[in-house]
Amino acid sequence: MTQEEFAGKLGVSVRSVAAWRANPRMVPQPETQRILDTTLGLAGDAVRRRFIHLSRIAAPQPEAQALRVAIAVVRRGGDVLLVCRQDGDDIAWQFPAGIVKPGGSASKVAVRETLDETGVHCLVREHLGERLHPVTRALCDYFICDYVHGEAVNGDSSENVAVAWAPIAELSRFIPTDRIYPPILNALEATV
């Protein structure tokens, strides 16, 4: 059908049909959606199959988003906050981290996850950058954070084995230096 014929069949303006064609993501008003649903329901099988086929082709596909993780490097004087995670038989020290949902704020996740995992309140001082993690392949956002208050406790025993303040000068005892994002080392060296 032409736009004019389709508009006449539905009892809507030609301008409405033209707007739908120009913007396939447009969501019709509830009354208009009922008219469209009724019309499709009355259509024959061949028309419904064609509609489904064309709508799949025209529908924008959602973009996949890489797993994003926010990582908080919390400083308190000459110490840095670490959590110890157990993954199967492996135990590894790392900085507090959390998954960033699509559209979420990485800096807010870094602060919130630090509090949830460790009981430590912190504030983001600086975004150090992001990288695709060489081991996990997650997109990581790194933040230097300042300690505000709170005692370091294991707030998430399902993920963490322990929580500790580690001396920055001895960080390599906990995490091998070659596994630390270089801007973290630079930022921490500036505070020692």
Side-chain angles (χ1 to χ4, degrees):
M1 291 182 182
T2 65
Q3 287 184 9
E4 291 79 13
E5 291 170 335
F6 191 57
K9 181 169 183 74
L10 296 177
V12 299
S13 71
V14 174
R15 189 176 61 201
S16 292
V17 174
W20 299 336
R21 183 177 216 146
N23 183 4
R25 289 184 163 192
M26 180 186 295
V27 177
Q29 295 293 325
E31 180 59 30
T32 304
Q33 186 63 57
R34 281 192 286 278
I35 293 168
L36 290 167
D37 292 343
T38 300
T39 304
L40 182 61
L42 296 173
D45 287 342
V47 171
R48 281 196 293 268
R49 280 193 304 273
R50 184 168 181 261
F51 173 79
I52 290 168
H53 173 73
L54 291 174
S55 64
R56 285 182 181 151
I57 292 170
Q61 298 299 312
E63 291 184 32
Q65 178 178 324
L67 177 65
R68 263 183 86 205
V69 177
I71 298 169
V73 181
V74 183
R75 301 179 299 197
R76 182 182 73 177
D79 296 333
V80 65
L81 185 63
L82 298 177
V83 295
C84 184
R85 300 222 197 262
Q86 183 164 2
D87 184 16
D89 292 335
D90 296 329
I91 294 178
W93 288 95
Q94 64 184 51
F95 304 104
I99 294 173
V100 181
K101 293 180 182 174
S105 164
S107 62
K108 287 180 182 177
V109 169
V111 170
R112 183 183 66 236
E113 287 296 317
T114 299
L115 178 60
D116 290 349
E117 290 183 13
T118 70
V120 170
H121 292 267
C122 66
L123 290 173
V124 170
R125 172 176 290 275
E126 179 184 357
H127 181 243
L128 293 174
E130 63 181 44
R131 72 169 174 169
L132 192 61
H133 194 279
V135 176
T136 65
R137 307 307 292 165
L139 180 61
C140 297
D141 274 290
Y142 296 89
F143 298 91
I144 283 286
C145 301
D146 293 326
Y147 168 82
V148 176
H149 67 86
E151 295 298 320
V153 295
N154 188 357
D156 189 351
S157 58
S158 65
E159 283 190 21
N160 301 328
V161 176
V163 173
W165 288 103
I168 293 171
E170 298 175 25
L171 183 58
S172 62
R173 285 185 37 223
F174 296 87
I175 306 171
T177 306
D178 63 335
R179 292 186 51 207
I180 300 174
Y181 182 51
I184 292 173
L185 294 172
N186 295 339
L188 291 177
E189 285 174 8
T191 63
V192 176

